[in-house]
């Protein structure tokens, strides 16, 4: 027979206490209890709170904190959630951290009272008053604790210095249901059982960690909730979720949401996209309410972001850089105001006045000049609005090419722009374009740009998963696509009002949630006036990277930056209206109208460059009389491979080409020469760039020939174009780019670039932006590329790989491209990759090759060839594999995924069965 708990045991179960020792990562020296006079429903009572506080530790070290981070957990966690930031604060980031256990939760008192949102905000105010919290306070909240922390923030503007949030929500849209897990937990007959009587709600929440929590950490989260009596607060929190306007906490939640919109203090939003409760919809709402916020989405992280990602250093870096900066600015402002008042008083006394505005009060002259030079991308479309000559030719579809004149394209752009504006698309609205490259995509892009909408462009080649991540991250307001893309949008829940590129049967349109078609919009726009043009500094596009170096990243460009890119291309390659372009590389397929010259896309799958043939390039040149050909390295491989199928007429057409560009990734001299032989009268260029800065340097085939015998390692990509600049941050012995940026020759390090068309920022990736601009020169805007290389004595840039692919051996860091070039000089080798295996600092090199003859299955290279390969390079090779095909990025089909190969090689050499990488 089980006896019921005694009254004494019942009281003990409700009392506040300190956590037990031995909980992973929790220093009990930071654990405290405090008695707090109650307010609201607790008026006249005293409640005991448990909280974590590093104030004593800072004092023992003689550190004066710059302010306090007030951290508030959600449901069903406790202050243990914040143990990392409590432990990591200090040193050059001396902030006091106070992390509370809310009443009914963690190791704080169980009062037995039901607490509404408004009461919990009142409780927190009573706690901070009892603690005597003064000075600068930054709130930090997660889940329901995010709402409570923001409620406290809006009630205490005199203390507030900033707000930081991890996955939370302050508003539930009326047209969207409460997240399914919460609806289930609140269901009749389920609520008490799932939340208090059992561990179900707690265990489900803990299961949301990525990767899975260790058993010890999961047990630590359960420690305050071992009995049903101790879990009553979990039930109360779920019961207090405002599911509709009649709920008792709805008005309080709306008041918090309205108050957040009025906040002007620095804000930080850290987000885990894999959250089944707080999706990106709630992040979008917070961004709208806090448009000045710094935002970072940790791909792969979920609801328990504090366990999934390094949030603590992010918060501490942010408060140090941005909250401290605001505080210093405020101090300087007050000092300046005091000085100004003193000067004014003296001036009045002396009988004279200051008749001229200070320099600081005038707009920056350089910025004014840059804006004055700005010519929008659609300028040539306006100039050619009555021109019947050919503008765009699309040969990608079977049958006759699709040809569009300047007049037709200009008219279509104007009509679509006006039509989009007529349905409510406004400047800053994001439009995701799931449209195959061609005239339709060209028209839609220029229409969006014209009205100030921000185009979101991600390659279909990213795959469904990669594309879903990109679209969810960008959170578009409008989604334009064909039936296939819209079906995917419906199935996968992609955000945005849906517009179809073509008319659909009414039942299909209804099933897919299609609101309009492009034809409808063009018709609406025929007699509609266009709105004012966007400014040069307005955001224009979010372009996604290829995903070759991790999850694809959104890169934000302004109108001025896109126009500067156009001007760089036009000036460097002497593009004129008579030039004409053949564009076998998707990004450049859209630039013809901006450059004021005709363009043609050859017969190929534009998302798969390997599908382009030599005959298709010749046909495109012949159809457009183009003099410039843009190709990617992957397409060049196949163009060269299929050159034997060229007819005499094809070769004659290719002989009319004057400029040939390989863009997207470095290319070997051997491959460039093979392609150049097909266009014997063309100057062959291989520019270097990236999504963040599409064109940085350039080198011709002749330039490559000049350096063939140079001792430099890597791929020479030439000198900076136009006003672009390149510097190197040297690698230290551990392979980190820690050196001061310089143009000293022969120094291996990370490549830094600066250009008029350099991106504005990464989209909702504040930490990535911060890393990319770390320790850069102060003269202009700079970007750390993540590429490594060196400059030679003539200022030419040599690319030697990626920073993340550096092999740190016992002798020091080794860049992979040089050894790969050594291997590719062996006659049997078609392509090679060199990767590291083993512990950091003691890595060994492994070669993985494709051979000219090829292989059906992966294998160790036969001894004779292995010996010749080892003899070809000074880098010792622990093993040499042959594979059918090296893994590459999707967009270019040329950037080798060395990180993936490294993991694969480790597995193969550990004794696993040989499989394809």
């Amino acid at each position: 027979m089980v006896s019921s708990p005694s009254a004494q045991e019942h009281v003990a179960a409700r009392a506040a206490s300190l956590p037990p020792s031995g909980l992973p990562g929790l220093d009990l020296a930071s654990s405290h209890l405090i008695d707090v006079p109650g307010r609201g429903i607790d008026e006249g009572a005293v409640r005991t709170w448990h909280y974590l506080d590093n104030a004593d530790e800072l004092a023992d070290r003689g550190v004066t904190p710059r302010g306090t981070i007030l951290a508030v957990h959600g449901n069903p966690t406790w202050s243990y959630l914040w143990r990392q930031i409590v432990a990591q604060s200090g040193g050059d980031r001396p902030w006091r951290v106070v992390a509370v256990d809310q009443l009914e939760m963690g190791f704080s008192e169980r009062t037995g009272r039901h607490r509404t949102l408004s009461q919990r905000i009142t409780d927190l105010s009573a706690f901070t008053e009892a603690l005597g919290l003064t000075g600068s306070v930054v709130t930090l909240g997660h889940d329901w604790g995010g709402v409570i922390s923001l409620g406290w923030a809006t009630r205490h503007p005199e203390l507030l210095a900033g707000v930081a949030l991890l996955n939370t929500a302050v508003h539930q849209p009326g047209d969207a249901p409460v997240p399914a897990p919460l609806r289930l937990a609140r269901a009749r007959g389920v609520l008490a059982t799932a939340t208090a009587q059992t561990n179900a709600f707690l265990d489900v929440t803990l299961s949301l960690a990525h990767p899975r929590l260790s058993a010890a950490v999961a047990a630590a989260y359960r420690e305050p909730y071992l009995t049903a009596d101790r879990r009553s607060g979990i039930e109360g929190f779920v019961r207090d979720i405002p599911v509709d306007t009649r709920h008792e906490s709805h008005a309080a939640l709306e008041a918090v949401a309205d108050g957040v919109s009025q906040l002007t203090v620095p804000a930080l939003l850290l987000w885990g996209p894999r959250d089944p409760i707080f999706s990106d919809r709630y992040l979008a709402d917070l961004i709208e309410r806090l448009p000045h916020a710094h935002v970072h989405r940790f791909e792969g992280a979920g609801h328990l972001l504090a366990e999934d990602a390094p949030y603590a250093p992010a918060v501490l870096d942010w408060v140090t850089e941005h909250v401290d900066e605001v505080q210093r600015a405020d101090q300087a402002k007050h000092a300046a105001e005091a000085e100004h008042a003193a000067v004014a008083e003296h001036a009045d006394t002396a009988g004279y006045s200051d008749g001229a505005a200070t320099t600081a009060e005038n707009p920056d002259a350089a910025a004014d000049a840059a804006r004055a030079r700005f010519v929008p991308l659609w300028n040539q479309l306006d100039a050619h609005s009555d021109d019947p000559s050919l503008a765009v030719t699309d040969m990608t579809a079977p049958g006759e090419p699709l040809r569009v004149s300047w007049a037709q394209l200009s008219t279509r752009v104007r009509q679509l722009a006006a039509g989009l504006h007529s349905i409510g698309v406004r400047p800053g609205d994001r439009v995701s374009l799931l449209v195959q490259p061609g005239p339709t995509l060209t028209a839609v892009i220029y229409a969006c740009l014209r009205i100030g909408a921000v185009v979101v462009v991600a390659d279909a080649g990213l795959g469904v998963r990669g594309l879903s991540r990109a679209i969810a991250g960008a959170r578009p307001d409008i989604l334009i696509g064909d039936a296939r893309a819209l079906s995917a949008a419906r199935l996968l829940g992609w955000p945005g009002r849906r517009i179809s590129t073509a008319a659909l049967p009414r039942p299909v349109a209804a099933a897919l949630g299609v609101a309009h078609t492009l034809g409808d919009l063009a018709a609406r726009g025929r007699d509609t006036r266009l709105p004012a043009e966007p400014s040069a500094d307005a955001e224009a596009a979010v372009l996604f990277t290829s995903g070759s170096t991790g999850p694809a990243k959104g890169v934000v460009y302004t109108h001025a930056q896109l126009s500067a890119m156009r001007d760089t291309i036009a000036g460097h390659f002497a593009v004129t209206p008579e030039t004409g372009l053949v564009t076998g590389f998707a990004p450049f397929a859209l630039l013809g109208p901006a450059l004021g010259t005709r363009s043609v896309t050859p017969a190929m799958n534009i998302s798969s460059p390997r599908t382009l043939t030599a005959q298709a390039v010749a046909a495109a040149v012949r159809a457009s009389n183009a003099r410039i050909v843009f190709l990617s390295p992957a397409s060049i491989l196949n163009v060269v491979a299929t050159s034997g199928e060229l007819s005499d007429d094809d070769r004659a057409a290719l002989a009319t080409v004057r400029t040939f560009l390989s863009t997207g990734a470095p290319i070997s001299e051997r491959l460039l020469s093979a392609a150049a032989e097909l266009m014997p009268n063309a100057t062959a260029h291989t520019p270097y760039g990236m999504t963040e800065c599409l064109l940085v340097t350039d080198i011709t085939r002749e330039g490559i020939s000049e350096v063939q015998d140079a001792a430099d390692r890597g791929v020479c990509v030439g000198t900076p174009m136009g006003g672009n600049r390149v510097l190197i941050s040297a690698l230290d012995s551990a392979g980190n780019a820690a050196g001061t940026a310089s143009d000293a020759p022969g120094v291996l390090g990370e490549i830094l670039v600066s250009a008029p068309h350099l991106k504005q920022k990464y989209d909702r990736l504040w930490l990535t932006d911060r890393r990319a601009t770390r320790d850069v020169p102060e003269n202009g805007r700079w970007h750390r590329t993540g590429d490594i290389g060196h400059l030679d004595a003539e200022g030419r840039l040599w690319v030697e790989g990626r920073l993340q692919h550096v092999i740190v051996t016992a002798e020091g860091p080794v860049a992979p491209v040089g050894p790969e070039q050594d291997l590719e000089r062996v006659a049997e080798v078609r392509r090679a990759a060199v990767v590291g295996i083993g512990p950091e600092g003691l890595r060994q090199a492994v070669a993985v090759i494709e051979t000219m003859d090829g292989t059906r299955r992966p294998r160790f290279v036969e001894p004779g060839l292995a010996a010749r390969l080892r003899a070809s390079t000074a880098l010792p090779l622990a093993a040499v594999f042959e594979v059918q095909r090296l893994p590459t990025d999707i967009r270019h089909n040329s950037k080798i995924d060395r990180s993936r190969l490294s993991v694969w090689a480790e597995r193969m050499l550990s004794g696993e069965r040989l499989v394809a990488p």
Side-chain angles (χ1 to χ4, degrees):
M1 177 177 178
V2 179
S3 62
S4 60
S6 67
Q8 186 176 3
E9 290 171 330
H10 187 70
V11 171
R14 290 179 172 272
S17 67
L18 297 176
S21 61
L23 300 185
L26 182 63
D27 182 358
L28 285 184
S30 65
S31 191
H32 304 274
L33 297 176
I34 185 173
D35 290 334
V36 177
R39 292 182 185 170
I41 62 173
D42 290 332
E43 194 71 45
V46 175
R47 302 304 187 190
T48 306
W49 292 59
H50 169 256
Y51 66 103
L52 304 179
D53 189 350
N54 67 346
D56 291 344
E57 180 192 355
L58 294 176
D60 290 344
R61 286 159 41 199
V63 175
T64 300
R66 295 173 181 168
T68 301
I69 296 173
L70 177 62
V72 187
H73 67 83
N75 188 34
T77 58
W78 56 287
S79 58
Y80 185 71
L81 182 80
W82 307 115
R83 66 194 182 280
Q84 294 177 28
I85 195 167
V86 173
Q88 293 178 30
S89 178
D92 59 349
R93 300 176 297 191
W95 279 72
R96 179 186 183 186
V97 180
V98 174
V100 301
D101 281 358
Q102 299 191 60
L103 293 175
E104 325 301 334
M105 302 294 287
F107 288 93
S108 286
E109 182 179 343
R110 302 304 192 263
T111 71
R113 307 293 299 270
H114 173 63
R115 297 184 180 275
T116 62
L117 171 59
S118 180
Q119 178 61 44
R120 287 198 174 277
I121 298 171
T122 297
D123 291 342
L124 186 59
S125 295
F127 169 85
T128 57
E129 184 175 322
L131 193 65
L133 204 59
T134 59
S136 300
V137 178
V138 173
T139 61
L140 172 62
H142 169 251
D143 187 83
W144 205 228
V147 183
I148 295 165
S149 70
L150 290 171
W152 184 94
T154 60
R155 292 188 189 182
H156 298 273
E158 74 285 357
L159 298 177
L160 190 65
V163 295
L165 297 167
L166 281 57
N167 294 46
T168 188
V170 297
H171 176 69
Q172 180 61 41
D175 60 349
V178 169
L182 297 181
R183 292 202 308 275
L184 177 62
R186 286 181 53 85
R188 182 175 298 177
V190 174
L191 177 58
T193 301
T195 56
Q197 295 171 18
T198 71
N199 278 331
F201 188 84
L202 175 59
D203 288 345
V204 168
T205 301
L206 297 180
S207 74
L208 299 178
H210 306 285
R212 186 180 183 136
L213 297 177
S214 70
V217 169
Y221 274 110
R222 294 189 185 98
E223 188 65 35
Y225 304 116
L226 296 179
T227 66
D229 204 37
R230 298 287 297 172
R231 292 190 291 266
S232 61
I234 298 176
E235 178 183 354
F237 257 122
V238 175
R239 191 181 299 278
D240 194 46
I241 296 171
V243 292
D244 56 40
T245 57
R246 297 169 297 176
H247 191 280
E248 60 182 333
S249 285
H250 178 266
L253 182 63
E254 288 295 296
V256 171
D258 291 342
V260 169
S261 300
Q262 307 304 314
L263 293 177
T264 58
V265 294
L268 176 67
L269 307 176
L270 302 179
W271 211 260
R274 294 178 65 182
D275 189 342
I277 302 168
F278 298 120
S279 67
D280 280 289
R281 164 190 295 148
Y282 300 102
L283 173 61
D285 176 72
L286 286 166
I287 291 172
E288 188 172 336
R289 296 174 190 277
L290 297 167
H292 61 287
H294 293 92
V295 182
H296 189 88
R297 297 172 73 255
F298 290 93
E299 282 295 346
H303 181 70
L304 288 178
L305 178 64
E307 298 294 338
D308 296 354
Y311 84 94
V315 172
L316 292 170
D317 286 345
W318 172 76
V319 294
T320 301
E321 293 176 12
H322 296 282
V323 176
D324 284 358
E325 180 183 335
V326 169
Q327 291 173 338
R328 287 192 297 270
D330 284 345
Q331 292 169 358
K333 178 182 176 183
H334 295 323
E337 288 174 347
E339 181 180 354
H340 183 75
V343 170
E345 182 179 354
H346 174 69
D348 288 342
T349 304
Y352 61 83
S353 65
D354 173 346
T358 66
T359 304
E361 293 169 336
N362 283 324
D364 182 79
D368 275 353
R371 278 188 283 270
R373 291 194 302 270
F374 167 68
V375 177
L377 289 186
W378 56 88
N379 182 67
Q380 290 294 332
L381 288 172
D382 291 345
H384 291 270
S385 60
D386 298 321
D387 186 350
S389 65
L390 193 63
V392 176
T393 302
D394 182 15
M395 304 178 75
T396 59
E400 280 295 307
L402 176 61
R403 297 181 174 87
V404 180
S405 71
W406 283 101
Q408 290 171 323
L409 182 60
S410 178
T411 298
R412 187 69 168 178
V413 167
R414 287 199 310 274
Q415 290 175 348
L416 289 176
L420 285 165
H421 189 262
S422 74
I423 63 168
V425 180
R426 294 294 181 264
D429 286 352
R430 294 188 166 193
V431 182
S432 179
L433 303 176
L434 303 177
V435 183
Q436 285 294 315
T440 298
L441 177 60
T442 300
V444 173
I445 283 180
Y446 283 90
C448 291
L449 294 175
R450 171 59 185 82
I451 61 172
V454 180
V455 297
V456 178
V457 181
D459 280 354
L462 290 174
V464 172
R465 186 175 178 182
L467 200 55
S468 290
R469 277 199 301 254
I471 294 172
R475 195 73 194 174
D477 303 283
I478 302 289
L479 192 150
I480 301 177
D482 58 19
R484 182 180 177 185
L486 295 174
S487 297
R490 181 73 171 182
L491 179 65
L492 298 170
W494 293 343
R497 285 191 291 160
R498 294 167 194 156
I499 296 173
S500 175
T501 56
L504 299 172
R506 189 169 298 174
V508 174
L512 297 180
V514 172
H516 304 279
T517 69
L518 291 183
D520 295 339
L521 297 181
R524 294 173 69 115
R526 286 194 186 103
D527 300 317
T528 304
R529 292 183 61 184
L530 286 170
E533 294 185 351
S535 69
D537 296 331
E539 291 184 4
V542 180
L543 310 179
F544 277 86
T545 63
S546 66
S548 60
T549 57
K553 299 182 286 289
V555 177
V556 178
Y557 277 90
T558 66
H559 285 272
Q561 289 154 0
L562 290 181
S563 294
M565 179 177 64
R566 172 206 58 203
D567 296 342
T568 298
I569 293 172
H572 189 77
F573 298 109
V575 179
T576 68
E578 291 73 37
T579 304
L581 311 175
V582 171
T583 53
F585 183 42
F588 291 100
L590 304 167
L591 279 173
L595 290 164
T597 194
R598 63 194 178 281
S599 61
V600 56
T601 305
M604 64 182 296
N605 178 349
I606 199 73
S607 296
S608 180
R610 288 180 185 267
T611 60
L612 182 62
T613 66
Q615 286 178 308
V617 175
V621 171
R622 199 163 38 239
S624 63
N625 196 27
R627 294 294 177 263
I628 296 181
V629 174
F630 286 87
L631 300 178
S632 72
S635 64
I636 293 172
L637 276 170
N638 202 50
V639 167
V640 171
T642 57
S643 60
E645 302 169 10
L646 290 171
S647 67
D648 289 344
D649 285 346
D650 291 335
R651 293 185 182 277
L654 293 175
T656 65
V657 176
R658 294 293 177 263
T659 304
F660 155 58
L661 294 91
S662 168
T663 54
I667 184 174
S668 69
E669 191 277 337
R670 182 171 64 181
L671 183 56
L672 188 66
S673 295
E677 288 175 4
L678 303 178
M679 294 169 267
N681 297 311
T683 299
H685 296 256
T686 173
Y688 161 73
M690 59 223 65
T691 307
E692 295 87 343
C693 191
L694 285 173
L695 295 166
V696 178
T697 67
D698 181 39
I699 191 169
T700 63
R701 179 191 178 192
E702 291 74 20
I704 294 175
S705 297
E706 290 175 8
V707 298
Q708 277 297 95
D709 298 326
D712 297 82
R713 309 286 276 166
V715 176
C716 184
V717 294
T719 54
M721 301 167 59
N724 301 350
R725 291 176 288 171
V726 174
L727 295 174
I728 302 294
S729 174
L731 299 185
D732 61 18
S733 60
N736 301 310
T740 301
S742 79
D743 58 0
V747 176
L748 176 64
E750 185 177 11
I751 300 168
L752 279 64
V753 302
S754 178
H757 55 281
L758 176 64
K759 64 152 176 68
Q760 183 69 15
K761 62 180 180 179
Y762 286 112
D763 187 43
R764 299 173 185 178
L765 292 170
W766 171 69
L767 285 173
T768 307
D769 248 335
R770 186 174 175 274
R771 285 192 291 267
T773 55
R774 172 184 59 84
D775 298 329
V776 298
E778 296 181 0
N779 58 333
R781 298 175 58 251
W782 289 86
H783 170 71
R784 287 182 172 268
T785 65
D787 290 337
I788 55 171
H790 70 275
L791 295 166
D792 65 19
E794 282 70 42
R796 291 175 295 228
L797 177 64
W798 296 72
V799 177
E800 300 184 62
R802 292 285 298 172
L803 187 60
Q804 68 201 70
H805 300 153
V806 169
I807 304 168
V808 183
T809 69
E811 287 72 39
V814 176
V817 171
E820 289 168 356
Q821 290 173 317
D822 295 336
L823 300 176
E824 288 172 353
R825 292 188 185 99
V826 176
E828 293 93 333
V829 177
R830 180 174 183 268
R831 195 160 53 156
V834 174
V835 299
I837 61 167
E840 284 300 327
L842 297 171
R843 304 281 273 177
Q844 297 184 63
V846 170
V848 188
I849 65 169
E850 296 175 9
T851 61
M852 295 299 183
D853 293 336
T855 181
R856 291 187 175 183
R857 57 182 61 89
R859 61 184 182 181
F860 288 98
V861 169
E862 57 89 11
L865 177 56
R868 292 196 300 279
L869 290 169
R870 285 189 169 95
S872 72
T873 181
L875 180 66
L877 298 175
V880 184
F881 291 98
E882 180 185 0
V883 297
Q884 183 180 34
R885 178 173 292 180
L886 293 169
T888 59
D889 69 296
I890 295 171
R891 177 180 296 169
H892 308 292
N893 294 150
S894 60
K895 294 181 179 178
I896 297 171
D897 190 341
R898 297 187 187 93
S899 297
R900 177 175 162 187
L901 273 179
S902 176
V903 173
W904 173 83
E906 292 261 18
R907 288 173 39 224
M908 297 304 98
L909 290 171
S910 69
E912 291 190 22
R913 183 175 64 87
L914 286 174
V915 296

